[in-house]
Amino acid sequence: MIGTNFIYGLAGLVFAVFAVLAATDRGNRKRFGNAGFYGLLAVSFLLGDRIGDIGNGVLVLGLVAIAGTGAMGRGARATTGPVERQAESERRGNRLFLPALVIPATALLGTLAFKAMPALVDPKQITLVALACGVILALAAGYAWFRARPATPFVEGLRLMDSVGWAAVLPQMLASLGAVFALAGVGQVVGGLAGAAIPDGSLIGAVLVYALGMTAFTMVMGNAFAAFPVMFAAVGMPLLIGRFHGDPAVIAAIGMLAGFCGTLMTPMAANFNLVPAALLDLKDKGAVIRAQVPTALPLLGVNIALLYWLGFR
């Protein structure tokens, strides 16, 4: 049965190729740091279920050591030059996006098709498997259309990864942190504090604490997926659903949207807010955040209103 092993194996092979390409990039003075980082990620995806908890913990410490000591840098290898890229852009126009559109189209169609094949694909991983198949099909379409050399997509992928750096794995790390917090009982502690702060029987008070808590925890942790287990266990489940009988689907979905408002306002969400500033060579590294705050705050207010209106009808 096709499931997470297929997805992890595919990702692990890609990072293994990145590690080899990075190690052979003589134009990058920090090539061995990059190679080590991608190599550890490859081991994580390919062998993570075999090396045990201690092995995975040591692997994560290795990733942190490489990133924290500044051992990574941008590679110098390129498949085309600026003039060639400009010419290709002008010649193909917006059709350049067609291979990328293969991915969501395949994810959608594959999700619907795989539901009829429960013996072939793990029902819990249907969408992810379909997404992975979409990536493979998009890669094949790119090869067929652009007639690129076999290594070209991986070299360009490595160039993008080098630009993003360690922040590429930040969402995965922070989501794992949220699971750790949930298992450690942080949600119960926060719930006790929230229960003392919310006036007895106040629905609007509980809604405000839940939505604002999602925003605040997301700003601290950098990821709404990390904040959700804490706030849902603290306020969402016991108060909004248990005491006030709210709609679980609405409370969960809009709670996540409230958390995403925090994503727009925090440097902890480095892959969203700091990486774009770095890729665009902006002198002000906080420019992206400042541009997003006027959108995030009204959006948070709308989410609070929707949560109160739709969650308890």
Side-chain angles (χ1 to χ4, degrees), residues 170-179 181-182 210-233 251-266 268-273 300 303:
L170 191 59
Q172 181 183 2
M173 296 290 187
L174 292 174
S176 301
L177 181 62
F181 278 9
Y210 176 62
L212 295 176
M214 276 295 300
T215 303
F217 264 86
T218 299
M219 292 180 69
V220 171
M221 303 172 74
N223 192 306
F225 290 99
F228 181 76
V230 175
M231 290 308 302
F232 194 75
I251 290 168
I254 299 181
M256 286 294 293
L257 292 175
F260 294 147
C261 294
T263 301
L264 298 174
M265 300 186 290
T266 176
M268 288 297 292
N271 52 319
F272 292 110
N273 300 331
L300 176 58
N303 283 324

Side-chain angles (χ1 to χ4, degrees), residues 42-94:
V43 172
S44 174
F45 281 108
L46 293 172
L47 303 174
D49 58 342
R50 300 181 184 180
I51 60 178
D53 293 340
I54 294 179
N56 280 293
V58 172
L59 188 150
V60 170
L61 291 176
L63 291 173
V64 172
I66 293 174
T69 56
M72 299 180 68
R74 290 193 185 187
R77 183 178 301 179
T79 57
T80 56
V83 175
E84 187 178 351
R85 291 175 186 271
Q86 182 65 31
E88 278 289 295
S89 175
E90 293 176 355
R91 184 166 70 90
R92 300 184 187 273
N94 289 333

Side-chain angles (χ1 to χ4, degrees), residues 154-176:
F154 299 98
V155 172
E156 290 299 320
L158 175 63
R159 185 171 65 87
L160 178 61
M161 282 296 301
D162 284 351
S163 298
V164 176
W166 59 267
V169 298
L170 191 59
Q172 181 183 2
M173 296 290 187
L174 292 174
S176 301

Side-chain angles (χ1 to χ4, degrees), residues 222-308:
N223 192 306
F225 290 99
F228 181 76
V230 175
M231 290 308 302
F232 194 75
V235 182
M237 180 60 74
L239 294 181
L240 298 183
I241 297 174
R243 182 182 300 180
F244 296 107
H245 309 292
D247 186 331
V250 173
I251 290 168
I254 299 181
M256 286 294 293
L257 292 175
F260 294 147
C261 294
T263 301
L264 298 174
M265 300 186 290
T266 176
M268 288 297 292
N271 52 319
F272 292 110
N273 300 331
L274 299 185
V275 169
L279 294 178
L280 295 172
D281 292 324
L282 299 180
K283 294 182 179 179
D284 183 0
K285 302 306 180 184
V288 174
I289 295 175
R290 273 193 288 275
Q292 293 174 161
V293 169
T295 299
L297 292 177
L299 187 59
L300 176 58
V302 170
N303 283 324
I304 292 173
L306 288 175
L307 182 61
Y308 183 78

